[in-house]
Amino acid sequence: MRNFTRYLISFLQACISAFQFLTRLPIPISVPFTEITCRRSVVFFPAAGMMIGLILLGSSLLLQDVFSMHINAVLILIVWIMITGGLHLDGLMDTADGVLSHRSREKMLEIMKDSRVGAMGVIVCVVAILLKYTLLFSWIEGIRYYYLIGLFLIPVWSRWFLTIAIYKYPYARNEGFGSYYQSVKFRHVILATVLALIFSTIGLHLAGFDTISTFYTLLIVSMTTYCIGWMISTYLYRKLGGLTGDTYGALNELIEILLLLIGYGVIRVI
């Protein structure tokens, strides 16, 4: 019984660690920053994504009858950035500065480690924000109902793929924050997948989807996310010889944007 209690506490600490790492939610609980905690925390990445999705969904519902669609898209985007503390955008900028410098592998990693932001980082960040705003507005304007579902699902599945990227690709540096996650095993990916499916299924059923619609929606979303993530991760791996904390942030940001883009296109065609 004592061992079970200790094991349960360690997983609760891992869950808190995932929320503290991926969000800026005020959780006034200190957890040990160890390799074991970080390794187990990836299981709860989809849970952190679910909380982000719920906050985005709630914000959208509160704002829909208050402001115009343009203003709502801007405010939701601001909430999206604030709730993550700009973590993923920061990673996207650093990754763009390094990868788009077209230098040697070692020089790209050195550029990414520099706290200063270069021209390519600023350009890519501006383009990413403009794309996200435009896509949010397009969803609100054209397919309001699916937009609300997308706000919930996309943060869950983008963070789900991070667990795969951490497990599948080596870390590009010998040290750094991301090195704490390199002992992630396949069982952690499986557990993260189970949580992502559970949260998504509950959300879709509450939105009125029947069992068949839920199955096909989750199949399409998961496979699309995997394909997008695999292509981006493979490209970064070939350029850098591995992934880093910055590339994890860039990966999440790009997956979210591309899911918004592809999802909008698919639903418009259907």
Side-chain angles (χ1 to χ4, degrees):
M1 185 64 181
R2 184 175 299 177
N3 289 336
F4 174 77
T5 302
R6 188 181 299 115
Y7 196 73
L8 180 61
I9 290 173
S10 70
F11 264 90
L12 289 174
Q13 290 175 335
C15 182
I16 293 170
S17 176
F19 276 74
Q20 290 177 336
F21 175 49
L22 294 176
T23 76
R24 288 299 176 264
L25 296 174
I27 304 177
I29 300 175
S30 179
V31 297
F33 186 73
T34 64
E35 184 179 338
I36 294 176
T37 302
C38 291
R39 179 178 68 221
R40 291 175 175 171
S41 71
V42 303
V43 172
F44 301 99
F45 279 13
M50 177 204 64
M51 185 57 64
I52 293 171
L54 287 175
I55 293 173
L56 293 175
L57 182 59
S59 300
S60 177
L61 291 173
L62 288 174
L63 294 169
Q64 63 181 347
D65 296 323
V66 180
F67 301 107
S68 68
M69 289 183 288
H70 285 287
I71 296 176
N72 284 347
V74 173
L75 292 177
I76 292 166
L77 179 57
I78 291 173
V79 172
W80 207 331
I81 295 172
M82 288 180 60
I83 198 173
T84 61
L87 175 70
H88 308 306
L89 279 174
D90 179 68
L92 179 64
M93 288 188 288
D94 288 338
T95 301
D97 278 335
V99 172
L100 298 180
S101 68
H102 302 294
R103 306 287 186 86
S104 67
R105 184 173 295 176
E106 292 74 20
K107 186 63 177 178
M108 284 191 286
L109 290 171
E110 182 182 336
I111 291 172
M112 289 166 60
K113 199 171 183 179
D114 194 332
S115 60
R116 294 169 296 182
V117 181
M120 294 309 302
V122 174
I123 291 170
V124 170
C125 181
V126 170
V127 171
I129 290 175
L130 284 174
L131 267 174
K132 217 164 192 178
Y133 159 74
T134 304
L135 288 166
L136 284 172
F137 174 73
S138 298
W139 279 72
I140 295 173
E141 182 185 38
I143 45 178
R144 176 72 193 176
Y145 178 69
Y146 290 103
Y147 156 75
L148 294 174
I149 298 169
L151 278 183
F152 176 76
L153 291 180
I154 288 174
V156 173
W157 288 96
S158 63
R159 284 153 187 83
W160 164 75
F161 188 82
L162 292 185
T163 67
I164 296 177
I166 292 170
Y167 165 73
K168 184 177 177 62
Y169 297 94
Y171 194 63
R173 295 192 175 99
N174 295 324
E175 58 183 16
F177 181 75
S179 62
Y180 282 87
Y181 294 87
Q182 291 313 292
S183 58
V184 168
K185 306 297 183 184
F186 184 66
R187 64 177 181 270
H188 299 110
V189 176
I190 294 298
L191 290 172
T193 303
V194 170
L195 284 184
L197 288 172
I198 290 173
F199 296 143
S200 300
T201 299
I202 293 173
L204 289 171
H205 276 299
L206 290 176
F209 279 54
D210 59 30
T211 302
I212 296 177
S213 298
T214 297
F215 172 78
Y216 283 112
T217 299
L218 292 182
L219 180 63
I220 292 170
V221 171
S222 60
M223 292 303 296
T224 303
T225 302
Y226 182 84
C227 291
I228 294 170
W230 175 79
M231 287 188 291
I232 298 171
S233 298
T234 301
Y235 169 78
L236 292 172
Y237 169 72
R238 290 175 178 172
K239 295 286 287 187
L240 301 170
L243 302 184
T244 69
D246 287 326
T247 62
Y248 296 147
L251 184 61
N252 184 87
E253 196 67 32
L254 292 173
I255 288 174
E256 287 183 341
I257 291 172
L258 289 172
L259 284 178
L260 283 170
L261 178 62
I262 295 172
Y264 178 77
V266 170
I267 294 171
R268 290 285 294 184
V269 170
I270 294 175

